[in-house]
Amino acid sequence: MWNTRNIATGIALMLVSLLAIDVIQVQSSTSNGAVAVAVASPDGAIEVRFTIREKQEPYPPGRRLYYAVYYLGRDIILDSPLGLDFQNMPPLARDLAVKGTSRRSINETWTPVIASKRSNVINHFNELRLDLEEASPPHRRLALVCRAYDDGVAFRYVLLKQREIGEFRITSERTHFHFAGNHTVWAADYKSFVSHQEEEFRETKLNQISPAAIIGLPLLVQVSAEVWVAIAEANLRDWAGMYLTGTRTTANAVVTTLSPRHDVPGVLVRGKVPHQSPWRVLMIGQRPGDLIESDIVMNLSESCALKDPSWITPGKSAWDHWWSGDYAPDADFEVGINTATIKYFTEFAAEMGFEYVLVDWQWYEDPLDPNADITKVTPAIDMPEVIRFAEERNVRVLLWLRWIHVDRQMEEAFPLYEQWGISGVKIDFMMRDDQEMVNWYHRVLKKAAEHHLVVEFHGAYKPTGIRRTYPNLLTREGVLGNEYNKWSDRVTPEHTVTIPFTRMLSGPIDFTPGGFRNVTPAAFRAQNSAPVVMGTRSHELAMMVTYESSLQVLCDSPYNYRGQAGVEFLRAVPTVWDETRVLHGKVGDYIVMARRRRDTWFIGGMTDEDARTLSVPLGFLGANQYAAHIFADAPDAGDYPDRVDEKRRTVTSEDTLVLQMAPAGGYAAILAPK
């Protein structure tokens, strides 16, 4: 059904498409000698223009390369400079001349090995390549490649093989983003390049971002009520992780800053030509939910590097007592670092049909010791018996590891784990994304794949699409998740409905959902043993749908799950999906998503501390009747948040679900064809 907004958008698209026919095919020179060339998205809604001209800029002087981005004819990014600074070489940014251009268009569909969002991904873009050369000696050459998709744009620097450069050391990447206004943004300031990247994304204004800030990606920008943008990066390989900072010289702008290397002071990236940067990405849509549905980060990443990835298994995992604590009244043993405790959680995983059990830290002695040996098991754990017990119940075992020990011993440890029967590793405390660490991630994933180990990164930087290349990477942290409930009050309902629109735009989040000790925000108190979570039981259930992660680690204890309302949803919900739709959403307020696995739909809705009623038309369903199994907030869930109104009904595509969510509440449903 077309409404007034649809018609207006359609007319705008047609006009932009007609204008773009000339723009994408013509390189022109203006009266002042400036060179202009452009590329548009396949649907014509997005346009990127590049110009080389004189412009008053504080650094460096001369003719510079600029880019601008337009959406539905509206200014999104005003002329913004590009360039790279080098150690012992002049900046590669000024007096550039276009020596050639080339174009191509790709329209293809590919299938992810692990479909954490959808099973068939459309990769449709128009690409423009600019070959640039300095007009004066030493005549260094640089290529800029830009791709325009219907859901955003991306560009990257390519340092070409040439005698004039050879080896290089980059000291600054001067990629600017000059917006057309002082827009509202949601930003996470990590304050340091050494960070777990576990912060809130706080609502602020572009001009309030300090030049001293270290803003992580993605940065969400509300250009208007119907234009949303997020800055991200993709295909981060042999480069430093990208952040953003404010600038004193230009209003409404942010500029890139890169994580510095630890071995060479003042150097961000070092290498030899040819060499290319990651993609600098602008996700663009009319709703914040459009950005969640976008596949642009994965499309910009390299295809699967594994010859046979069929062994990789997504799924859910029970987590040993690290989060839930030692309180287990149904256990006839002392809960702790021992074989009996691991069996207790493994038995629960088997009951629930979970694919994994996670054995967290202290399974090897003194993990805080830099010289600890990750091939030696603490005497309290009988590892062969743990693995035998798990295999007998069709449960796979994951082991926690500290990264410095992996760095020292992976060549020895990974083959040994494969021999033991271990299925994967959780690697922690990297806290960096400088060029050396980025390359280390790639080495670990490759080595793990050689020994049939899936990987979960904690203490990690944000995703950039490497899971397409190495699909044995099932998930990663880099998010302020449920573990913070043990020592802080930061995991608020507002936070939990903000991160799908911010951090999750880059890729999966290992939030460790599923807390079943539910309290109201007013009653919440952080506690290390037997921690509680803010919000209703249905709020936690909905995370299994709203939070993307092909490995979902359920945080709570078997004792807190068994016989409890909502546990059947945890048993049924998958972690890979054939289709994803954002049905409702307002950043920091609420979100409702629907995901399909084969012919069954799952719905998850979450709200902040305000009670909310939302209508969800079921027009996306097929022609069948569907059996709806609903896990809604009980009428008194505002006072007793662990109470669930579980009900069943028959629905069709003609029906509308009414989601009545308590304060800090939620809604979860399974819709299976009858």
Side-chain angles (χ1 to χ4, degrees), residues 88-136:
N88 303 322
M89 277 194 289
L92 188 50
R94 63 179 181 176
D95 296 330
L96 296 170
V98 177
K99 291 299 183 180
T101 63
S102 60
R103 301 179 184 273
R104 65 172 181 147
S105 296
I106 298 293
N107 188 0
E108 62 185 8
T109 300
W110 60 276
T111 301
V113 173
I114 304 297
S116 62
K117 187 180 292 186
R118 72 187 83 254
S119 55
N120 291 293
V121 179
I122 297 172
N123 183 33
H124 191 192
F125 63 85
N126 293 326
E127 181 181 278
L128 167 68
R129 175 185 169 117
L130 297 175
D131 286 297
L132 307 162
E133 184 178 308
E134 291 176 310
S136 56

Side-chain angles (χ1 to χ4, degrees), residues 465-523:
I466 190 178
R467 61 197 168 95
R468 179 181 178 184
T469 312
Y470 291 102
N472 56 317
L473 174 58
L474 294 183
T475 192
R476 71 169 81 194
E477 199 180 32
V479 65
L480 196 160
N482 256 345
E483 67 176 2
Y484 273 74
N485 287 301
K486 296 182 70 169
W487 58 78
S488 81
D489 59 359
R490 295 172 61 187
V491 187
T492 64
E494 180 181 6
H495 171 70
T496 60
V497 294
T498 298
I499 54 177
F501 300 103
T502 50
R503 161 60 182 81
M504 199 176 77
L505 300 182
S506 285
I509 53 175
D510 186 24
F511 184 87
T512 63
F516 265 36
R517 290 170 57 87
N518 310 98
V519 299
T520 65

Side-chain angles (χ1 to χ4, degrees), residues 246-490:
T247 171
R248 293 185 178 89
T249 58
T250 307
N252 313 324
V254 288
V255 61
T256 57
T257 182
L258 302 183
S259 184
R261 290 182 64 98
H262 285 215
D263 58 342
V264 186
V267 173
L268 308 177
V269 180
R270 62 186 299 185
K272 298 180 180 179
V273 293
H275 206 95
Q276 59 190 11
S277 76
W279 294 98
R280 280 51 189 111
V281 183
L282 287 162
M283 308 169 75
I284 303 174
Q286 292 183 277
R287 312 173 301 146
D290 293 341
L291 309 186
I292 296 175
E293 294 178 5
S294 172
D295 293 305
I296 192 169
V297 171
M298 291 288 278
N299 275 328
L300 290 162
S301 300
E302 297 177 17
S303 58
C304 181
L306 309 183
K307 291 183 179 179
D308 178 16
S310 61
W311 56 272
I312 301 171
T313 302
K316 290 166 285 191
S317 177
W319 190 4
D320 74 14
H321 73 297
W322 183 88
W323 191 85
S324 55
D326 298 338
Y327 180 68
D330 62 340
D332 57 358
F333 55 87
E334 183 179 348
V335 175
I337 309 299
N338 55 54
T339 301
T341 298
I342 299 171
K343 284 185 173 183
Y344 173 67
F345 281 84
T346 302
E347 191 70 57
F348 175 70
E351 289 174 20
M352 294 291 291
F354 293 176
E355 289 76 8
Y356 293 98
V357 63
L358 170 60
V359 180
D360 214 283
W361 83 319
Q362 294 184 322
W363 69 265
Y364 62 94
E365 291 191 349
D366 198 2
L368 297 181
D369 179 355
N371 298 310
D373 189 343
I374 59 175
T375 69
K376 300 290 187 354
V377 184
T378 183
I381 296 176
D382 183 345
M383 190 63 76
E385 173 60 14
V386 164
I387 294 168
R388 182 206 64 78
F389 187 85
E391 287 180 345
E392 190 176 79
R393 289 156 179 77
N394 199 30
V395 175
R396 298 167 172 84
V397 178
L398 305 172
L399 295 180
W400 179 95
L401 299 165
R402 191 176 174 195
W403 87 271
I404 59 172
H405 305 139
V406 175
D407 185 46
R408 192 181 73 247
Q409 288 188 284
M410 80 172 91
E411 296 289 340
E412 175 188 4
F414 286 4
L416 181 63
Y417 297 162
E418 182 180 28
Q419 180 183 333
W420 287 355
I422 297 298
S423 295
V425 290
K426 170 184 173 179
I427 306 175
D428 207 345
F429 291 116
M430 288 77 69
M431 298 176 61
R432 291 164 39 199
D433 59 353
D434 52 86
Q435 185 184 17
E436 297 165 286
M437 182 58 76
V438 166
N439 291 342
W440 185 86
Y441 274 54
H442 286 251
R443 289 200 307 274
V444 166
L445 290 170
K446 182 178 180 181
K447 180 57 64 175
E450 290 173 6
H451 297 287
H452 301 96
L453 298 172
V454 298
V455 176
E456 169 189 5
F457 284 130
H458 267 227
Y461 63 84
K462 84 281 177 188
T464 60
I466 190 178
R467 61 197 168 95
R468 179 181 178 184
T469 312
Y470 291 102
N472 56 317
L473 174 58
L474 294 183
T475 192
R476 71 169 81 194
E477 199 180 32
V479 65
L480 196 160
N482 256 345
E483 67 176 2
Y484 273 74
N485 287 301
K486 296 182 70 169
W487 58 78
S488 81
D489 59 359
R490 295 172 61 187

Side-chain angles (χ1 to χ4, degrees), residues 597-610:
R597 179 60 175 164
R598 300 188 178 93
D599 55 2
T600 299
W601 285 91
F602 294 78
I603 294 175
M606 302 162 60
T607 183
D608 61 4
E609 293 191 34
D610 294 329

